[in-house]
Amino acid sequence: MGTEATRTRIIEGAAAVFGAAGIAEATVQDVLERASVSRRTFYQYFTSKEDVLAAVYDGWVDELVQRVGGMAVSGSEPVDVVVAALDTWLQQLQRDAPLSIRMMVEAARHDSQLHARREHTFDVLVSTTDEAMRGFLGARVDPLVYRALFLGAEGLVLHLAERGELERAPARLRRVVGALFFTVLGSHDTLPDPPRGEPAGAGDEAAGAGRSG
Protein backbone atom coordinates (compact mmCIF):
# COMPACT_ATOMS: atom_id res chain seq x y z
CA MET A 1 0.00 0.00 0.00
CA GLY A 2 1.33 3.44 -0.92
CA THR A 3 2.40 6.11 1.52
CA GLU A 4 -0.61 8.37 1.04
CA ALA A 5 -3.02 5.43 1.09
CA THR A 6 -1.58 4.24 4.40
CA ARG A 7 -1.83 7.72 5.93
CA THR A 8 -5.43 8.02 4.75
CA ARG A 9 -6.28 4.62 6.24
CA ILE A 10 -4.88 5.68 9.61
CA ILE A 11 -6.84 8.95 9.53
CA GLU A 12 -10.07 7.15 8.60
CA GLY A 13 -9.47 4.59 11.33
CA ALA A 14 -8.84 7.34 13.86
CA ALA A 15 -12.01 9.16 12.81
CA ALA A 16 -14.04 5.99 13.36
CA VAL A 17 -12.46 5.46 16.78
CA PHE A 18 -12.93 9.05 17.94
CA GLY A 19 -16.52 9.00 16.79
CA ALA A 20 -17.33 5.72 18.52
CA ALA A 21 -15.27 5.90 21.72
CA GLY A 22 -14.80 9.63 22.24
CA ILE A 23 -11.65 11.70 21.90
CA ALA A 24 -10.44 11.51 25.50
CA GLU A 25 -11.23 7.82 25.82
CA ALA A 26 -9.64 6.70 22.53
CA THR A 27 -6.09 5.36 22.52
CA VAL A 28 -3.42 4.92 19.88
CA GLN A 29 -3.91 1.16 20.26
CA ASP A 30 -7.58 1.56 19.33
CA VAL A 31 -6.51 3.40 16.17
CA LEU A 32 -3.96 0.71 15.31
CA GLU A 33 -6.56 -2.01 15.57
CA ARG A 34 -9.19 -0.10 13.60
CA ALA A 35 -6.76 0.87 10.81
CA SER A 36 -5.01 -2.53 10.83
CA VAL A 37 -1.53 -1.03 11.03
CA SER A 38 1.42 -1.64 13.32
CA ARG A 39 2.55 0.83 15.97
CA ARG A 40 5.73 1.36 13.99
CA THR A 41 3.74 2.25 10.87
CA PHE A 42 1.53 4.65 12.85
CA TYR A 43 4.53 6.56 14.18
CA GLN A 44 5.97 6.89 10.71
CA TYR A 45 3.07 9.25 9.96
CA PHE A 46 1.95 10.68 13.30
CA THR A 47 3.64 11.56 16.57
CA SER A 48 0.69 10.98 18.89
CA LYS A 49 -3.07 10.58 19.24
CA GLU A 50 -3.35 14.37 19.24
CA ASP A 51 -1.42 14.57 15.98
CA VAL A 52 -3.76 12.21 14.13
CA LEU A 53 -6.76 13.97 15.71
CA ALA A 54 -5.50 17.23 14.18
CA ALA A 55 -5.34 15.52 10.78
CA VAL A 56 -8.92 14.27 11.16
CA TYR A 57 -10.09 17.75 12.14
CA ASP A 58 -8.18 19.44 9.31
CA GLY A 59 -9.77 17.15 6.76
CA TRP A 60 -13.24 17.85 8.14
CA VAL A 61 -12.95 21.64 8.20
CA ASP A 62 -11.10 21.78 4.87
CA GLU A 63 -14.04 20.02 3.22
CA LEU A 64 -16.50 22.40 4.87
CA VAL A 65 -14.57 25.56 3.97
CA GLN A 66 -14.10 24.40 0.38
CA ARG A 67 -17.80 23.64 -0.07
CA VAL A 68 -18.99 26.85 1.57
CA GLY A 69 -16.37 28.92 -0.25
CA GLY A 70 -17.51 27.55 -3.58
CA MET A 71 -21.04 28.69 -2.88
CA ALA A 72 -19.91 32.17 -1.85
CA VAL A 73 -18.32 32.79 -5.25
CA SER A 74 -21.08 31.09 -7.27
CA GLY A 75 -22.72 34.37 -8.28
CA SER A 76 -26.06 33.40 -6.71
CA GLU A 77 -28.19 35.78 -4.69
CA PRO A 78 -27.07 36.29 -1.05
CA VAL A 79 -30.15 34.56 0.36
CA ASP A 80 -29.57 31.49 -1.83
CA VAL A 81 -25.91 31.37 -0.82
CA VAL A 82 -26.73 31.55 2.90
CA VAL A 83 -29.38 28.83 2.63
CA ALA A 84 -27.10 26.53 0.63
CA ALA A 85 -24.13 27.13 2.95
CA LEU A 86 -26.26 26.51 6.04
CA ASP A 87 -27.69 23.31 4.60
CA THR A 88 -24.21 22.11 3.64
CA TRP A 89 -22.90 22.74 7.15
CA LEU A 90 -25.83 20.99 8.85
CA GLN A 91 -25.64 18.04 6.46
CA GLN A 92 -21.94 17.60 7.17
CA LEU A 93 -22.52 17.87 10.93
CA GLN A 94 -25.24 15.22 10.84
CA ARG A 95 -23.40 13.00 8.37
CA ASP A 96 -20.33 12.79 10.61
CA ALA A 97 -21.99 12.89 14.04
CA PRO A 98 -21.06 12.14 16.75
CA LEU A 99 -17.48 12.74 15.59
CA SER A 100 -18.25 16.25 14.29
CA ILE A 101 -19.79 17.31 17.61
CA ARG A 102 -16.94 15.83 19.62
CA MET A 103 -14.40 17.70 17.51
CA MET A 104 -16.35 20.96 17.94
CA VAL A 105 -16.35 20.54 21.72
CA GLU A 106 -12.64 19.69 21.75
CA ALA A 107 -11.69 22.59 19.48
CA ALA A 108 -13.60 25.08 21.66
CA ARG A 109 -11.27 24.30 24.60
CA HIS A 110 -8.52 26.92 24.80
CA ASP A 111 -5.93 24.32 25.87
CA SER A 112 -6.71 21.99 22.97
CA GLN A 113 -4.33 21.50 20.07
CA LEU A 114 -7.36 22.01 17.82
CA HIS A 115 -8.20 25.45 19.20
CA ALA A 116 -5.85 27.41 16.94
CA ARG A 117 -7.19 25.45 13.97
CA ARG A 118 -10.74 26.36 14.97
CA GLU A 119 -9.80 30.03 15.15
CA HIS A 120 -8.18 29.83 11.72
CA THR A 121 -11.33 28.21 10.32
CA PHE A 122 -13.46 31.05 11.65
CA ASP A 123 -10.99 33.53 10.12
CA VAL A 124 -11.43 31.90 6.71
CA LEU A 125 -15.22 31.75 6.99
CA VAL A 126 -15.38 35.40 8.09
CA SER A 127 -13.12 36.51 5.25
CA THR A 128 -15.10 34.46 2.72
CA THR A 129 -18.40 35.85 3.98
CA ASP A 130 -17.09 39.41 3.97
CA GLU A 131 -15.84 39.09 0.40
CA ALA A 132 -19.15 37.61 -0.75
CA MET A 133 -21.25 40.25 0.97
CA ARG A 134 -19.19 43.09 -0.45
CA GLY A 135 -19.57 41.57 -3.90
CA PHE A 136 -23.32 41.04 -3.56
CA LEU A 137 -24.33 44.11 -1.59
CA GLY A 138 -21.43 46.52 -1.83
CA ALA A 139 -21.48 46.49 1.97
CA ARG A 140 -18.52 46.69 4.32
CA VAL A 141 -19.39 45.38 7.76
CA ASP A 142 -17.16 44.97 10.79
CA PRO A 143 -15.90 41.36 10.54
CA LEU A 144 -16.76 40.82 14.21
CA VAL A 145 -20.42 40.81 13.13
CA TYR A 146 -19.86 37.77 10.93
CA ARG A 147 -17.72 36.13 13.59
CA ALA A 148 -20.51 36.58 16.14
CA LEU A 149 -22.93 34.87 13.75
CA PHE A 150 -20.67 31.85 13.28
CA LEU A 151 -19.96 31.58 17.00
CA GLY A 152 -23.67 31.82 17.73
CA ALA A 153 -24.46 29.08 15.24
CA GLU A 154 -21.78 26.84 16.74
CA GLY A 155 -23.11 27.51 20.22
CA LEU A 156 -26.63 26.51 19.21
CA VAL A 157 -25.37 23.25 17.71
CA LEU A 158 -23.48 22.38 20.89
CA HIS A 159 -26.46 23.40 23.02
CA LEU A 160 -28.77 21.01 21.16
CA ALA A 161 -26.16 18.23 21.01
CA GLU A 162 -25.57 18.41 24.77
CA ARG A 163 -29.27 17.81 25.32
CA GLY A 164 -29.51 15.04 22.74
CA GLU A 165 -31.83 17.15 20.59
CA LEU A 166 -29.68 17.85 17.53
CA GLU A 167 -30.96 14.95 15.44
CA ARG A 168 -34.57 15.82 16.28
CA ALA A 169 -34.29 19.55 15.61
CA PRO A 170 -32.50 20.14 12.29
CA ALA A 171 -35.40 22.14 10.83
CA ARG A 172 -35.63 24.30 13.95
CA LEU A 173 -31.89 24.93 13.94
CA ARG A 174 -31.97 25.81 10.25
CA ARG A 175 -34.76 28.33 10.81
CA VAL A 176 -33.07 29.98 13.79
CA VAL A 177 -29.60 30.23 12.29
CA GLY A 178 -31.06 31.34 8.97
CA ALA A 179 -33.02 34.06 10.75
CA LEU A 180 -29.82 35.35 12.37
CA PHE A 181 -27.99 35.59 9.06
CA PHE A 182 -30.96 37.03 7.17
CA THR A 183 -31.43 39.70 9.82
CA VAL A 184 -27.85 40.81 9.23
CA LEU A 185 -28.23 40.74 5.46
CA GLY A 186 -31.42 42.73 5.68
CA SER A 187 -29.93 45.45 7.85
CA HIS A 188 -26.38 45.60 6.49
CA ASP A 189 -26.65 49.36 5.93
CA THR A 190 -27.10 49.97 9.67
CA LEU A 191 -24.36 47.62 10.94
CA PRO A 192 -20.99 48.93 12.18
CA ASP A 193 -18.27 49.58 9.62
CA PRO A 194 -14.85 47.94 9.85
CA PRO A 195 -12.32 49.76 12.07
CA ARG A 196 -11.09 52.95 10.40
CA GLY A 197 -8.03 52.37 8.25
CA GLU A 198 -8.39 48.59 8.36
CA PRO A 199 -9.79 46.52 5.45
CA ALA A 200 -12.80 44.38 6.29
CA GLY A 201 -11.65 41.04 7.65
CA ALA A 202 -8.02 42.07 8.05
CA GLY A 203 -8.05 41.84 11.83
CA ASP A 204 -9.33 38.28 11.80
CA GLU A 205 -6.84 37.15 9.18
CA ALA A 206 -3.94 38.61 11.15
CA ALA A 207 -5.13 37.07 14.39
CA GLY A 208 -5.28 33.56 12.96
CA ALA A 209 -2.63 33.53 10.27
CA GLY A 210 -1.76 29.91 9.58
CA ARG A 211 -2.51 26.75 11.50
CA SER A 212 -0.44 25.68 14.42
CA GLY A 213 1.30 22.36 14.11
Side-chain angles (χ1 to χ4, degrees):
M1 181 176 291
T3 298
E4 190 58 34
T6 300
R7 185 177 186 276
T8 298
R9 193 166 97 193
I10 295 172
I11 292 173
E12 290 175 347
V17 169
F18 293 140
I23 293 172
E25 296 79 6
T27 66
V28 169
Q29 183 60 38
D30 293 332
V31 176
L32 303 183
E33 294 174 1
R34 185 60 182 251
S36 299
V37 298
S38 67
R39 187 170 294 269
R40 178 180 178 182
T41 297
F42 176 88
Y43 284 110
Q44 287 177 342
Y45 296 92
F46 301 100
T47 61
S48 62
K49 181 182 82 170
E50 291 71 25
D51 192 24
V52 72
L53 171 62
V56 173
Y57 184 79
D58 284 350
W60 195 89
V61 298
D62 285 350
E63 178 185 354
L64 177 63
V65 169
Q66 182 177 16
R67 295 174 70 187
V68 171
M71 294 169 189
V73 298
S74 65
S76 301
E77 291 297 317
V79 170
D80 295 332
V81 170
V82 170
V83 170
L86 177 58
D87 285 344
T88 294
W89 179 52
L90 292 176
Q91 288 165 8
Q92 190 165 322
L93 277 174
Q94 293 170 330
R95 181 197 71 189
D96 298 328
L99 172 64
S100 53
I101 303 302
R102 286 174 172 161
M103 289 194 299
M104 288 175 68
V105 171
E106 175 69 16
R109 291 177 40 233
H110 287 270
D111 61 345
S112 171
Q113 182 176 340
L114 300 185
H115 188 70
R117 288 170 158 80
R118 169 181 176 264
E119 291 300 297
H120 175 78
T121 300
F122 278 127
D123 292 339
V124 173
L125 290 173
V126 167
S127 178
T128 300
T129 303
D130 172 65
E131 181 179 355
M133 290 304 99
R134 280 187 287 166
F136 289 132
L137 306 174
R140 301 190 68 218
V141 175
D142 191 316
L144 285 180
V145 173
Y146 297 129
R147 197 175 195 89
L149 289 172
F150 287 119
L151 286 169
E154 180 191 64
L156 285 174
V157 168
L158 295 180
H159 170 80
L160 292 173
E162 184 178 299
R163 287 157 178 74
E165 299 175 5
L166 184 60
E167 292 185 2
R168 300 196 303 271
R172 181 186 181 192
L173 180 62
R174 184 177 183 269
R175 287 196 304 270
V176 171
V177 176
L180 291 175
F181 276 83
F182 295 148
T183 298
V184 170
L185 289 175
S187 58
H188 63 88
D189 54 338
T190 63
L191 292 172
D193 296 327
R196 186 176 298 276
E198 179 181 0
D204 293 305
E205 292 170 0
R211 287 184 175 139
S212 69

